[in-house]
Amino acid sequence: MKIKFSANHLLLLLIIAFASFLYFYKLGEVPNSLSDDEATVGYNAFSILKTGKDEFGKTFPIAFRFFGAYTPPLYVYLVVGLVKLFGLNAVSLRVLSGVASLVGIWVTYSFAKKLKIFRFDLTALLAAFVFAISPWVIFYARIGYEVTLGYIVYSLGALFLWRGLAKRQLSLAGLALLSVSTYIAHTERYLVPIFLFFILIFFHREIFSKKNLGQLKTGLVILVLTQAPNLYLATTKAFWVKNIARGSPSLGAIITDFTTQLLTYFSPTAIFGVSSDINLQHTAPELPLFYSWLVVPFLVGLYQLYRKRGLPGGKFLVILFLTAPLPGAFSGHFISIQRVMPLIVPLVLIMALGFDSIIQRIKPIIFLPLLTLLVVLSLILFWRSYWVLFPKERGLYWSYGYEELATRAKNEPLKKFVVDTARAPAVYIGLLFYLQYPPVEYQKLFRPELVKNYYADLSLSGEYKFANFELRPIVWKKDVYLDQILVGDELTISADQIKEHFLQKVLEIKDPNGKAILIGYQTNPKKKLFSR
Amino acid sequence: MKPMGRLKGKWFWLALFFLLFGLMFFQYKTTRPTDFRRLTEMEKIAQLRRMNEYPPRAYRLANWIEARPEAIIYFKLEKNFIDSFDLLVLFAKYLPALFLPLFLLGYFEAVKSWPRPVLALTILPISLTTLIGHDNAKGPISLLAVIVLASAFGLWLLIRRVRPK
């Protein structure tokens, strides 16, 4: 088969090259620390590599017990190979998200080409470009856990499915990819059945035609075979952990929560203004999910989508758009942009529809310089938020300082460090990561029953002991009588407690803004005992 | 479909614009306008901190982005503009969420039938809130009026569609 190489392909390659710079430049340095989510992926991949078991000692789990979340496993298993190749470091964890995001550019471009709802060739390139430079995409192309790969594989599956449906066929590759995406992240686990349900309803004529009978049977076999681990998991508590965590709210509360969340996820204010996500680890300062001026093509695009809803491509895009935030909206009280990442591709395609309409009305001599100006200004503001403000202001939410603490503890092996976990319950995993603590040693800390009831025992200890570290809340009645260093944030130990227990400051780790974020105090058991 | 053909009359649109201008005037009078020149104490502290977060070689750019009055005005205008599209405020605080699908149906059909006057009716209140801000206990009254009108039109279209012929 001969592939025609056109100017469009060249421009697409240029977009991918530019995006590669945005996604991989100083990948190990910004974000300037590992979040707990990244560290847990890294340490578990390291543990699998060394022992074939996760941190708790479970052999090749089908869902990882991260902080009790039972996360789908595929990302960790893919990272195992990268850790083997490049070692246990931030780049090994993050590079997969960057590569997936590059694939996402092609997926967006192909969608714009194949949906047959756009007039101009330029629109597909614009869609790819908007996707490539969007803050939401760039931010998550540079993180080392599963959410990015999840939404890209989901979007790729949806693209293949559409390419099949456009020919009135069922795409087996599309089904397989959608099925695989359910093993990457929680969102896709819930989204894929919802999406397929609506596709079956709205494209039943195309799918259930006589000529597709063979493909339907094969598709069903693929789904059953690939979903066997999930079907098994569904019989355990681990599969329903998110529902259990949510409790049993009343129907009224569920409807109110659902409506509020859906309105927020679809709200242009939340998409083009300051994000509604209260977890500051998920965003950079002053950085919207999409640049604010894109609200104009988005609103124009929504109108165009309404007009084209009757076309098969329009119908498919409506389903892709409306189903994407449903798992996020059902998942509880808090807005989390990580749970609605499958919304990115349909949002970009709607903006592209807007551009498609704008190009028709505005002459290129006005449109192109205006677009260039807006893009340049946007990239300057992105640089400000992501490269200047983000490393300085968000270190705390990325568990900044624990690498230095691990180095300090490594250099002073005879000292014992007690780290207060009252406000940082998950930082143990970062210390394990930085120490590259032998997994075989760490696994010994857990009861064998835990491995036996891995998918049923949802309890978490909250206390950890390894190397010269102990991580737990400080017990004042006991800890000040032992020779050790008590470590916490600026709220852990008050001035009165320092005086009362004869503590001496021996450690201070500062964030990039010079603010102390971890402070260590040496106890003085002798003096304390004599003072009684 | 050409819905509500009889509403094409210029008197209808004149009356709507007259009503909208009245509501906009009321909104202007009851809103505490955004002060584009002054920063609050908190904003001043954040501004100073951020100026120091830039690398020394980017000092001029830092000054442009963080401290120039033009930049401050731009950021405040941008926020006011984007806040005009807050679905949570519009369809949870001031109107029931059920209005949203009716609004979308009515609004898109109205744009299809009478693009210029409908877009003008939308742009005017949004321009006002962009310029004066959203500090009004009564909400974006003029914009809500447009939404209610479009929702009513949407409901009318829906009833027409489901009513047996």
Side-chain angles (χ1 to χ4, degrees):
Chain A
M1 194 177 73
K2 220 176 174 182
I3 297 171
K4 262 208 282 182
F5 197 81
S6 66
N8 270 10
H9 289 121
L10 185 70
L11 286 169
L12 183 66
L13 278 179
L14 281 176
I15 291 170
I16 290 175
F18 180 58
S20 303
F21 169 74
L22 293 173
Y23 302 166
F24 300 118
Y25 177 64
K26 290 193 176 177
L27 189 59
E29 292 166 49
V30 184
N32 57 0
S33 181
L34 282 178
S35 68
D36 299 333
D37 295 319
E38 292 180 305
T40 195
V41 166
Y43 189 71
N44 279 279
F46 179 63
S47 181
I48 293 280
L49 179 70
K50 296 286 175 193
T51 66
K53 296 171 182 174
D54 79 340
E55 60 174 283
F56 301 102
K58 176 74 180 171
T59 307
F60 295 110
I62 51 171
F64 280 88
R65 204 172 176 263
F66 299 162
F67 317 128
Y70 289 97
T71 303
L74 202 57
Y75 195 86
V76 180
Y77 290 125
L78 292 172
V79 167
V80 171
L82 294 165
V83 170
K84 170 101 178 145
L85 282 174
F86 307 115
L88 185 58
N89 56 55
V91 175
S92 299
L93 305 178
R94 293 171 181 165
V95 76
L96 199 52
S97 296
V99 173
S101 301
L102 292 181
V103 174
I105 297 173
W106 177 79
V107 170
T108 311
Y109 175 82
S110 300
F111 252 131
K113 284 287 234 190
K114 303 283 177 189
L115 278 174
K116 307 261 184 246
I117 50 173
F118 299 93
R119 286 187 200 93
F120 303 104
D121 268 0
L122 179 67
T123 313
L125 282 172
L126 274 173
F129 186 61
V130 167
F131 178 91
I133 64 160
S134 289
W136 197 359
V137 174
I138 305 174
F139 189 92
Y140 280 94
R142 301 174 62 91
I143 54 120
Y145 51 97
E146 69 282 354
V147 288
T148 308
L149 185 70
Y151 92 88
I152 296 293
V153 174
Y154 167 79
S155 305
L156 188 64
L159 172 68
F160 275 74
L161 198 68
W162 165 247
R163 288 171 70 153
L165 287 174
K167 294 178 209 155
R168 303 183 75 81
Q169 288 172 356
L170 186 67
S171 163
L172 298 179
L175 273 186
L177 281 164
L178 286 171
S179 187
V180 165
S181 76
T182 64
Y183 292 100
I184 302 175
H186 276 295
T187 302
E188 284 69 28
R189 188 191 270 175
Y190 300 107
L191 178 57
V192 169
I194 297 171
F195 174 68
L196 285 178
F197 172 75
F198 282 100
I199 289 293
L200 278 179
I201 288 181
F202 288 96
F203 288 90
H204 61 94
R205 277 198 202 106
E206 288 84 345
I207 293 169
F208 294 107
S209 67
K210 269 186 187 168
K211 66 168 185 172
N212 278 345
L213 212 63
Q215 272 183 314
L216 260 173
K217 281 180 193 164
T218 320
L220 204 64
V221 171
I222 288 176
L223 278 183
V224 171
L225 284 179
T226 52
Q227 285 301 307
N230 267 344
L231 291 173
Y232 163 72
L233 206 62
T235 63
T236 69
K237 283 183 185 173
F239 191 86
W240 307 101
V241 69
K242 297 268 172 188
N243 307 52
I244 293 166
R246 220 190 143 178
S248 318
S250 64
L251 184 66
I254 292 175
I255 293 171
T256 309
D257 261 1
F258 178 73
T259 313
T260 308
Q261 296 233 2
L262 214 54
L263 283 173
T264 308
Y265 288 129
F266 281 132
S267 180
T269 303
I271 299 169
F272 303 97
V274 173
S275 167
S276 310
D277 196 325
I278 55 164
N279 186 344
L280 296 181
Q281 184 202 311
H282 295 170
T283 53
E286 311 296 337
L287 195 64
L289 302 179
F290 289 95
Y291 302 112
S292 58
W293 54 274
L294 285 167
V295 72
V296 176
F298 172 70
L299 295 175
V300 177
L302 267 186
Y303 172 64
Q304 292 300 330
L305 183 60
Y306 174 77
R307 296 197 71 167
K308 292 176 181 184
R309 69 193 186 283
L311 299 172
K315 198 162 62 172
F316 191 85
L317 183 52
V318 169
I319 296 172
L320 204 61
F321 176 56
L322 293 182
T323 53
L326 292 181
F330 270 123
S331 69
H333 304 293
F334 299 112
I335 297 298
S336 170
I337 55 167
Q338 289 188 165
R339 293 180 194 157
V340 292
M341 291 182 69
L343 199 51
I344 295 177
V345 173
L347 276 175
V348 171
L349 291 170
I350 291 171
M351 288 173 220
L353 263 178
F355 277 124
D356 203 52
S357 175
I358 292 168
I359 295 169
Q360 206 188 14
R361 286 167 178 81
I362 300 178
K363 286 179 184 165
I365 197 153
I366 298 169
F367 176 76
L368 288 174
L370 184 66
L371 183 73
T372 310
L373 180 73
L374 288 170
V375 167
V376 170
L377 287 176
S378 299
L379 289 174
I380 290 173
L381 291 180
F382 178 81
W383 168 81
R384 169 224 193 195
S385 285
Y386 192 80
W387 293 97
V388 178
L389 306 183
F390 172 58
K392 298 268 184 180
E393 295 182 12
R394 296 286 161 89
L396 187 66
Y397 308 97
W398 281 76
S399 298
Y400 188 88
Y402 287 92
E403 186 173 12
E404 199 179 325
L405 182 62
T407 311
R408 176 81 181 256
K410 221 174 187 174
N411 294 338
E412 295 176 54
L414 299 177
K415 288 264 183 221
K416 189 180 156 197
F417 291 77
V418 174
V419 182
D420 178 51
T421 54
R423 274 173 301 284
V427 292
Y428 77 97
I429 199 77
L431 291 170
L432 285 170
F433 180 99
Y434 294 121
L435 291 171
Q436 303 207 356
Y437 189 70
V440 73
E441 292 298 318
Y442 186 68
Q443 288 158 6
K444 284 179 190 163
L445 299 175
F446 299 98
R447 301 169 277 124
E449 298 89 69
L450 179 68
V451 174
K452 229 175 172 180
N453 299 319
Y454 188 86
Y455 301 113
D457 186 353
L458 306 184
S459 63
L460 292 168
S461 84
E463 292 187 8
Y464 310 89
K465 206 171 171 183
F466 51 86
N468 47 343
F469 275 112
E470 223 177 289
L471 290 97
R472 56 175 169 76
I474 291 173
V475 183
W476 289 103
K477 279 183 186 167
K478 195 183 80 177
D479 283 332
V480 287
Y481 296 103
L482 299 169
D483 182 20
Q484 54 196 1
I485 296 171
L486 305 177
V487 184
D489 60 21
E490 57 180 358
L491 297 176
T492 307
I493 298 167
S494 70
D496 286 344
Q497 284 167 325
I498 295 169
K499 218 166 152 185
E500 185 188 340
H501 302 301
F502 311 106
L503 304 176
Q504 191 194 351
K505 195 200 269 188
V506 289
L507 168 80
E508 188 175 71
I509 297 172
K510 292 177 176 172
D511 76 358
N513 260 344
K515 190 183 166 210
I517 48 170
L518 284 175
I519 306 165
Y521 293 92
Q522 172 67 56
T523 56
N524 194 338
K526 273 186 197 164
K527 208 168 174 182
K528 184 67 190 169
L529 271 171
F530 283 121
S531 73
R532 286 174 84 177
Chain B
M1 187 176 66
K2 264 276 178 198
M4 294 181 88
R6 67 180 178 277
L7 293 184
K8 272 181 179 172
K10 68 175 178 184
W11 291 108
F12 172 77
W13 292 110
L14 268 176
L16 270 190
F17 275 100
F18 190 72
L19 180 72
L20 184 73
F21 282 124
L23 285 171
M24 283 171 66
F25 180 73
F26 181 68
Q27 189 176 338
Y28 171 72
K29 279 297 195 190
T30 52
T31 301
R32 207 172 72 173
T34 306
D35 190 339
F36 289 103
R37 283 170 300 176
R38 204 167 297 158
L39 293 176
T40 62
E41 284 310 310
M42 289 291 283
E43 285 168 339
K44 279 181 193 165
I45 293 167
Q47 184 191 46
L48 195 66
R49 190 190 67 232
R50 285 193 167 160
M51 290 286 286
N52 291 321
E53 288 174 359
Y54 283 77
R57 65 178 186 282
Y59 180 77
R60 276 171 77 95
L61 195 57
N63 191 52
W64 266 96
I65 299 174
E66 308 295 340
R68 293 278 299 189
E70 297 89 332
I72 293 167
I73 292 169
Y74 166 76
F75 287 129
K76 289 193 174 187
L77 280 173
E78 183 192 44
K79 187 180 180 313
N80 284 351
F81 174 66
I82 292 293
D83 283 353
S84 309
F85 303 97
D86 194 339
L87 296 186
L88 201 60
V89 169
L90 298 170
F91 293 97
K93 194 174 170 187
Y94 294 112
L95 297 168
L98 270 179
F99 269 50
L100 181 60
L102 295 176
F103 162 71
L104 289 174
L105 173 68
Y107 188 77
F108 288 152
E109 286 297 336
V111 172
K112 214 157 88 178
S113 302
W114 311 286
R116 284 187 184 182
V118 173
L119 287 178
L121 279 171
T122 320
I123 289 168
L124 282 169
I126 290 174
S127 306
L128 179 72
T129 47
T130 303
L131 289 173
I132 64 170
H134 298 260
D135 195 356
N136 186 331
K138 294 175 183 70
I141 314 150
S142 51
L143 190 60
L144 288 173
V146 176
I147 293 171
V148 170
L149 268 177
S151 307
F153 183 49
L155 182 66
W156 183 78
L157 287 172
L158 200 69
I159 292 169
R160 258 176 53 140
R161 276 183 201 182
V162 296
R163 200 173 53 187
K165 284 177 185 167

